[in-house]
């Protein structure tokens, strides 16, 4: 399987590097590319695949939202995570309405960021616990299975 390609578009080198190194801790085949400007990111997206765009809301020359729309013209399936240092409610509303898959305020909570990346790329499966069996309405087979599992548990 090809590696998922992630574009990090952030003009602050420290933030970009932190995001990249955190992504490199994931045990999945990822190609992580750091790009400092929206214009360069558009050029890159026109030439190569993008599975996930991680972009700062405020970039020199173009906003993260504008960049998201341009990248999606080339790669409609691409997932998008926008980040910003602006806590302004208007900005948060604008980002929410723009259609990004996730949005984080700086400093980016790395565990939540990595979780979002894995979910957006389909790298993790969510397992729901089994539904509890209602003894009143359970079939005979379900009741036998439940009784066997209780016997096994009591033996432990």
């Amino acid at each position: 399987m090809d590696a998922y390609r992630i574009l990090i578009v952030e003009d602050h080198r420290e933030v970009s590097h932190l995001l990249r190194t955190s992504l490199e801790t994931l045990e999945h085949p990822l190609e992580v590319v750091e790009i400092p400007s929206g214009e360069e990111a558009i050029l890159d997206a026109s030439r190569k695949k993008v599975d996930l765009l991680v972009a700062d809301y405020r970039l020199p020359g173009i906003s993260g939202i504008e960049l998201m729309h341009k990248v999606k013209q080339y790669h409609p399936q691409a997932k998008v995570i926008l980040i910003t240092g602006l806590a302004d409610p208007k900005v948060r509303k604008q980002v929410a309405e723009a259609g990004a898959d996730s949005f984080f305020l700086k400093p980016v909570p790395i565990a939540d960021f990595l979780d979002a990346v894995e979910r957006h790329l389909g790298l993790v499966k969510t397992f729901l616990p089994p539904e509890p069996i209602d003894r009143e309405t359970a079939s005979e087979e379900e009741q036998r299975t439940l009784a066997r599992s209780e016997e096994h548990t009591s033996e432990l």
Side-chain angles (χ1 to χ4, degrees):
M1 181 187 116
D2 285 350
Y4 288 99
R5 192 158 186 279
I6 301 174
L7 274 189
I8 299 174
V9 187
E10 167 64 66
D11 58 325
H12 291 102
R13 182 89 181 107
E14 316 77 48
V15 175
S16 180
H17 185 70
L18 173 67
L19 295 175
R20 179 193 183 103
T21 55
S22 66
L23 287 167
E24 289 170 350
T25 67
L26 295 176
E27 296 178 3
H28 302 288
L30 302 174
E31 178 187 349
V32 182
V33 180
E34 292 178 81
I35 297 179
S37 76
E39 290 78 6
E40 289 175 72
I42 293 167
L43 185 61
D44 182 272
S46 73
R47 297 176 175 168
K48 298 177 183 163
K49 77 171 181 161
V50 176
D51 296 302
L52 175 65
L53 171 67
V54 179
D56 193 355
Y57 171 79
R58 275 185 20 186
L59 293 165
I62 184 173
S63 78
I65 292 173
E66 292 171 301
L67 175 59
M68 173 182 75
H69 293 305
K70 298 268 189 200
V71 168
K72 283 199 167 267
Q73 287 176 353
Y74 294 108
H75 309 283
Q77 85 297 345
K79 300 296 183 185
V80 179
I81 297 175
L82 292 178
I83 57 176
T84 186
L86 303 171
D88 182 343
K90 288 183 207 148
V91 169
R92 295 173 80 161
K93 183 174 189 261
Q94 187 181 16
V95 168
E97 292 172 353
D101 296 287
S102 292
F103 172 60
F104 292 101
L105 289 174
K106 292 178 188 175
V108 177
I110 296 302
D112 294 340
F113 170 72
L114 293 176
D115 178 59
V117 168
E118 288 184 315
R119 280 185 295 107
H120 295 324
L121 293 178
L123 300 174
V124 290
K125 302 286 184 248
T126 304
F127 293 102
L128 298 175
E131 291 292 320
I133 297 175
D134 180 357
R135 290 183 181 274
E136 304 287 317
T137 60
S139 70
E140 287 181 32
E141 178 60 32
E142 288 172 323
Q143 288 188 17
R144 281 194 299 274
T145 302
L146 184 60
R148 279 195 303 272
S149 70
E150 288 172 345
E151 287 169 15
H152 178 70
T153 306
S154 65
E155 293 168 5
L156 298 177

